[in-house]
Amino acid sequence: MRHIPLVRRRRLGEELRRLRREAGLTSGETARLLGWHQSKVSRIETGVSGVKGEDLTVLLDALGLRDPHLRSLLSALAGRAGEGPGWWEAYGGAIPQVYRDFISLESQASTAHTLETSVVPGLLQTPGYARAMTRAALDGLPAATVDALVEVRLARQAVLRATTPLRLHAVLDEAVLRREVGGPEVMREQLQRLAELARLPHVCLQVLPFAVGGYVGLAGPFVIFTFPNIADLDLVVLDHLTNSLYLERKEDLEAYRTAFRTMRGHALSTADSLDLIARIGAGIGAGP
């Protein structure tokens, strides 16, 4: 069950432990009711293990949970159980668990609102840009590892080509467009790709120009994931050098949603953003 993000497993376990206690049962009594080992209940409640759909159903029945909304929420928290591992699991140790968790969330989300202050979002990168960015950010990696990371980065972009694609709204600092990652040719191709993707009906791209000055998002990039049908699953992901932080509290979500709305208001319109991208692309390699 490694393909279920750890943050989801832990939250599911906390909810199941709360329901068990409200039902007046110990973990041992719950295990005996279901014919399970007590260690299985404990591993589920601590988030060490995921839980299959059929096991979750009988567990919720044993705990007396009848609320259809909460049952649906807990089923969603159980994630892709029973569907087999996600494609990213094939890369094993080439990508860390925190990255696999992020990809799993991205693959299940219906909408992503992202702010980037320094680099092009992974879902919008060209192969050349992805390779240059990987080499620069993770200096000294073996060529095979770089190849695997680039392959994963490009495979993630399938969510934008799915039958029901991810709806992506990206706000980019102007610095993202002007930093020549990989050199002029790579950057020119990347800007052309941004312009192409920005014209897709499910992709909205806006640029925060330097003229805006300081803004709330300068503290760092973030992604707000929205999931189908159940708003209680929405979360914010903050990236750090060695880890990612997941925020799920309603007050945190509202703070980041408000910040994103504010930045959208300060950013150029989609049409003006495309014009700026074109102008910057035309000027690459033209000299001072």
Side-chain angles (χ1 to χ4, degrees):
M1 305 298 290
R2 290 178 302 161
H3 52 282
I4 299 175
L6 180 59
V7 66
R8 290 285 188 249
R9 290 204 308 264
R10 286 177 174 170
R11 185 173 174 192
L12 175 63
E14 290 169 359
E15 289 295 319
L16 293 174
R17 183 166 57 252
R18 179 184 63 80
L19 289 170
R20 173 178 59 75
R21 289 172 175 170
E22 288 181 354
L25 297 171
T26 66
S27 59
E29 290 168 339
T30 302
R32 285 193 293 274
L33 279 173
L34 299 171
W36 296 352
H37 290 294
Q38 183 175 355
S39 61
K40 179 174 179 176
V41 176
S42 296
R43 287 172 65 84
I44 291 171
E45 289 188 354
T46 56
V48 173
S49 297
V51 56
K52 294 181 180 179
E54 56 268 29
D55 284 347
L56 180 61
T57 297
V58 296
L59 176 56
L60 295 181
D61 288 343
L63 297 178
L65 181 64
R66 299 290 178 262
D67 182 343
H69 176 76
L70 185 51
R71 288 181 74 106
S72 180
L73 171 62
L74 296 176
S75 178
L77 282 173
R80 303 167 58 92
E83 296 181 18
W87 59 263
W88 50 90
E89 293 295 342
Y91 291 88
I95 56 176
Q97 183 63 52
V98 66
Y99 191 22
R100 280 178 274 169
D101 286 349
F102 179 86
I103 297 171
S104 179
L105 292 169
E106 184 178 72
S107 72
Q108 297 176 49
S110 58
T111 304
H113 293 83
T114 183
L115 167 74
E116 281 291 353
T117 57
S118 57
V119 299
V120 172
L123 292 180
L124 306 177
Q125 292 179 7
T126 63
Y129 187 100
R131 185 170 299 278
M133 193 67 245
T134 301
R135 285 174 173 165
L138 302 169
D139 188 36
L141 285 180
T145 303
V146 172
D147 290 342
L149 290 171
V150 172
E151 191 174 330
V152 169
R153 182 69 54 87
L154 300 178
R156 283 173 49 202
Q157 298 174 3
V159 296
L160 297 178
R161 303 188 298 271
T163 303
T164 303
L166 176 75
R167 296 192 301 277
L168 176 65
H169 193 147
V171 173
L172 309 183
D173 190 292
E174 186 176 340
V176 173
L177 310 179
R178 295 192 180 276
R179 178 172 288 106
E180 291 189 12
V181 173
E185 289 301 319
V186 168
M187 199 62 202
R188 189 180 297 112
E189 181 185 29
Q190 178 61 72
L191 294 180
Q192 291 171 350
R193 173 67 64 84
L194 285 178
E196 293 167 3
L197 293 174
R199 292 182 171 88
L200 294 175
H202 53 281
V203 175
C204 179
L205 179 61
Q206 290 182 265
V207 177
L208 271 165
F210 288 147
V212 169
Y215 60 90
V216 65
L218 274 176
F222 61 85
V223 182
I224 305 171
F225 282 129
T226 298
F227 296 86
N229 303 322
I230 302 177
D232 290 344
L233 292 181
D234 297 354
L235 54 78
V236 178
V237 184
L238 307 178
D239 276 333
H240 299 284
L241 182 62
T242 59
N243 212 331
S244 293
L245 177 65
Y246 298 90
L247 305 178
E248 298 183 286
R249 296 190 312 165
K250 290 183 178 179
E251 51 266 44
D252 291 328
L253 280 164
E254 187 52 39
Y256 277 89
R257 287 171 177 148
T258 299
F260 194 81
R261 286 193 296 268
T262 300
M263 287 182 287
R264 285 180 58 185
H266 291 316
L268 299 175
S269 68
T270 53
D272 289 343
S273 295
L274 285 172
D275 287 343
L276 179 58
I277 291 170
R279 291 199 304 274
I280 294 174
I284 290 177

